[in-house]
Amino acid sequence: MLSQIHTTSSQAQLGIGAGITAGAFWGLVFLAPELTPGFSPLQLSAGRYLAYGLVAAVLIARSWPRLVRNLSWADWRGLAGLSLLGNIVYYLFVAQAVQSGGVAMTSIVIGLLPLAVTLAGLREHGAVPLRRLAPSLLLGGAGLACISWDALRAAGGSALGLLCALGALVSWTVYAVVNRRWLARLQGVSSQEWSLLVGVMTGAQALLLAVPAFQPGAAAHSGAEWLQFLGVVSAVGIFCSVVGNALWNYASRALPMALMGQMIVFETVFASLYGFLWEGRWPNGLEAAALLLLLAGVASCAAAHRS
């Protein structure tokens, strides 16, 4: 019995570590549009996921025959839906949000994911009653109100950026919940293999995106700009998609959804840190208030689950 408790505790600690590290990698995603000015969100999404698919195909090649035998048509349909929703659609929204509203605004809106995932998992094992989540929801809503006001009062396309950030929030919430359910019922497929299969499927879908994204007549770029673009999307594809998604899938199997959802806040923390460093500034009052309120909401949510 003591051995079982120790094993469960160790798995939880490893799951928490994997979730935090995944957040550190995912935070880099928000810098990619800033590092590739002049390239559209469609081009960034196609480039990133072509790289993801290529690397995933190489890594999973030896296991491919066994996985094809183990997976049903329903599994393949699930992979297709998860790949589209959690990768391509999500990143299209993120890239447009960053280009329209900035890194800080986008990352803070995405910071509502812990609460969104927790709400989506209310029917899951270990979920707490909605009334006990009321304080965390109020804090998260106040954080969103702060960043919404800051975005809407800014000049330019910040309203579009806010809407796209909210679209990314919804798409990835659905992905997190559905992906965890697939992982829970899979037999003979590891979390790493599932992540790579999602990568292969995403790469195949990105081939369709590449046609309109890189059609002749698009904006011209110099050779140096193309090299920078290829370097950025390849790095994002490898570190954020291959490595980050594998770590997240490990955390999804090691942790209950109530605790797993809280790990997403580290994406916001790291993304905000990267964004402020990139812009060479401290957060303004509303940004700082939004971050503090979001963190307080997550802490309150975790406390509700502990009690």
Side-chain angles (χ1 to χ4, degrees):
M1 184 67 170
L2 289 175
S3 175
Q4 182 180 3
I5 293 172
H6 176 73
T7 301
T8 303
S9 176
S10 298
Q11 288 177 342
Q13 290 174 1
L14 288 172
I16 291 171
I20 293 172
T21 309
F25 281 117
W26 285 345
L28 295 170
V29 167
F30 297 88
L31 277 183
E34 297 287 351
L35 294 171
T36 53
F39 289 91
S40 69
L42 191 63
Q43 290 174 325
L44 285 167
S45 186
R48 171 189 178 179
Y49 291 122
L50 284 172
Y52 181 20
L54 180 61
V55 174
V58 171
L59 293 176
I60 208 171
R62 293 184 61 182
S63 305
W64 185 261
R66 172 179 60 82
L67 293 171
V68 169
R69 291 194 301 270
N70 287 345
L71 294 174
S72 66
W73 278 112
D75 295 329
W76 288 108
R77 288 195 298 271
L79 278 168
L82 287 170
S83 301
L84 185 64
L85 188 65
N87 287 322
I88 291 178
V89 172
Y90 169 75
Y91 194 57
L92 282 171
F93 276 131
V94 167
Q96 184 61 61
V98 170
Q99 290 186 345
S100 299
V103 175
M105 182 276 293
T106 305
S107 61
I108 292 173
V109 172
I110 300 300
L112 288 170
L113 272 171
L115 298 180
V117 171
T118 299
L119 278 175
L122 282 175
R123 296 181 181 275
E124 296 281 332
H125 175 71
V128 300
L130 180 60
R131 59 181 174 78
R132 286 170 56 187
L133 293 176
S136 62
L137 293 175
L138 290 173
L139 289 166
L144 180 60
C146 286
I147 199 60
S148 299
W149 175 257
D150 191 52
L152 292 173
R153 72 174 185 172
S158 294
L160 173 62
L162 178 61
L163 289 174
C164 288
L166 290 171
L169 174 69
V170 172
S171 66
W172 212 89
T173 299
V174 177
Y175 165 80
V177 175
V178 176
N179 182 59
R180 185 179 188 278
R181 290 173 180 169
W182 277 105
L183 285 169
R185 63 173 175 256
L186 282 172
Q187 299 294 328
V189 180
S190 70
S191 57
Q192 166 70 0
E193 289 170 338
W194 183 253
S195 175
L196 293 175
L197 285 168
V198 170
V200 172
M201 183 66 71
T202 305
Q205 293 172 347
L207 287 172
L208 301 177
L209 278 185
V211 175
F214 302 108
Q215 61 181 336
H221 298 282
S222 66
E225 289 172 336
W226 277 111
L227 284 176
Q228 182 168 341
F229 172 80
L230 291 174
V232 169
V233 296
S234 297
V236 169
I238 293 170
F239 292 107
C240 301
S241 294
V242 176
V243 180
N245 289 2
L247 289 166
W248 179 256
N249 281 349
Y250 180 88
S252 294
R253 275 185 162 171
L255 302 174
M257 180 173 287
L259 182 56
M260 182 194 75
Q262 309 311 310
M263 295 298 100
I264 311 174
V265 77
F266 291 100
E267 179 185 14
T268 299
V269 172
F270 283 105
S272 300
L273 176 62
Y274 301 152
F276 295 136
L277 288 173
W278 172 257
E279 295 171 5
R281 66 177 179 89
W282 293 97
N284 63 36
L286 284 173
E287 289 169 340
L291 277 175
L292 290 173
L293 287 166
L294 289 175
L295 288 171
V298 171
S300 175
C301 185
H305 284 92
R306 284 199 302 271
S307 60

